[in-house]
Amino acid sequence: DAKTTQPPSMDCAEGRAANLPCNHSTISGNEYVYWYRQIHSQGPQYIIHGLKNNETNEMASLIITEDRKSSTLILPHATLRDTAVYYCIVSGGGGSNYKLTFGKGTLLTVNP
Amino acid sequence: EAGVAQSPRYKIIEKRQSVAFWCNPISGHATLYWYQQILGQGPKLLIQFQNNGVVDDSQLPKDRFSAERLKGVDSTLKIQPAKLEDSAVYLCASSLDPAGQYGYTFGSGTRLTVV
């Protein structure tokens, strides 16, 4: 079962920052938060992941609250090509049995 | 580095026929996953391998689905016989370590249509 809650859809104006929220209130101490996105007809694309600290890469920033019960993915300057379904995922398992369990994600639509 | 390779890209078969999908993970990635993604839904895990051993196949419909990773590198997923509800995209993913500290990489998937 998915352990994250995301809004089903969001809109963003081109050039503006897109802030995608995610709740993961049951996250365990050793579980990572991952963000992937999926553009129609393609496989999920890795964006960013983190454990406790905020993370930034060339695509996005990940802000994780101090209690780790929620996070926000920030696309600093959204473009039309960022229109996709964004999945927030908490890796679950232990030992060799870690896996990504996808929920329904957030459909982000970037408008001109 | 090369990504996760999957083939074929598309497949159309009639119900009750058999079909096989192939996946070649990123070199050195010990953990391999097969996911099924039905239109409009998020991917659902079917099976997870660690090297050539099965770690989790609890969601695999074993009466018709089978998967193997004989040499701990590439993998095949087979459906026999196929049903209409098997129409989906089948995604393969791999990771360097099971905990995914370095992330998980997905292939482009195989789109199966059962008619």
Side-chain angles (χ1 to χ4, degrees), chain B residues 21 36 38 61 64-65 79-90 112-114:
Chain B
F21 313 125
Q36 179 193 58
I38 293 172
R64 299 184 299 107
F65 286 64
I79 307 175
Q80 182 179 10
K83 293 184 176 181
L84 296 177
E85 58 261 37
D86 297 332
S87 293
V89 175
Y90 291 85
L112 173 67
T113 302
V114 182

Side-chain angles (χ1 to χ4, degrees), chain B residues 7-29:
Chain B
S7 67
R9 189 73 175 89
Y10 303 94
K11 190 74 176 178
I12 301 174
I13 62 172
E14 296 182 350
K15 59 184 179 182
R16 292 187 289 274
Q17 285 186 325
S18 63
V19 64
F21 313 125
W22 175 81
C23 172
N24 190 13
I26 291 175
S27 178
H29 280 198

Side-chain angles (χ1 to χ4, degrees), chain A residues 23-64:
Chain A
N23 288 321
H24 31 80
S25 58
T26 60
I27 192 170
S28 299
N30 60 348
E31 292 180 326
Y32 286 83
V33 178
Y34 291 85
W35 283 85
Y36 281 78
R37 72 181 183 184
Q38 191 171 28
I39 298 170
H40 183 62
S41 298
Q42 297 182 21
Q45 177 191 21
Y46 169 82
I47 300 173
I48 199 167
H49 75 288
L51 185 62
K52 296 180 181 178
N53 300 321
N54 298 337
E55 302 287 346
T56 295
N57 62 21
E58 64 278 5
M59 288 182 68
S61 294
L62 173 61
I63 308 298
I64 303 175

